Amino acid sequence: MKWSEVRRMYPNQYVKLNIIDFYLEGDKKIVTDVALINVIEDPKLATKELLKSKGDTIVYHTGDEKIVIELRKAIGLRGMRL
């Protein structure tokens, strides 16, 4: 399902989604196709669901024209001895 369809069907709401397709634009992931898991009416519940989300599952607000996820590089000191 296209993000524009989800926005039209569920205006101004939080939705839980599974990412189906995306493209990269620099350090950003632009999501184009999603599978709707459910609609979340309570903003506090939406935040809790977002914090529990893993992998390609996200919570997003349909007020946003595009789904843009900023990618971060993992920085760590794994294996370093001080």
Side-chain angles (χ1 to χ4, degrees):
M1 173 180 281
K2 297 290 183 193
W3 175 238
S4 58
E5 293 175 54
V6 176
R7 291 183 71 226
R8 188 172 16 91
M9 292 169 59
Y10 304 100
N12 203 33
Q13 294 187 33
Y14 289 96
V15 289
K16 187 171 185 178
L17 309 163
N18 191 37
I19 298 171
I20 304 296
D21 196 23
F22 65 91
Y23 64 92
L24 296 176
E25 198 171 272
D27 63 345
K28 294 179 170 94
K29 180 190 269 190
I30 313 297
V31 178
T32 54
D33 287 313
V34 296
L36 180 68
I37 297 172
N38 66 342
V39 177
I40 306 168
E41 294 186 18
D42 180 15
K44 288 182 182 181
L45 182 59
T47 301
K48 288 180 183 179
E49 286 295 319
L50 176 61
L51 294 173
K52 292 191 304 186
S53 297
K54 293 181 182 178
D56 287 338
T57 302
I58 61 170
V59 174
Y60 223 76
H61 194 273
T62 58
D64 294 320
E65 195 171 318
K66 290 183 177 181
I67 299 177
V68 180
I69 301 169
E70 228 174 286
L71 302 174
R72 296 187 215 173
K73 293 183 180 179
I75 299 174
L77 300 174
R78 184 179 298 182
M80 290 188 67
R81 291 186 180 176
L82 301 176

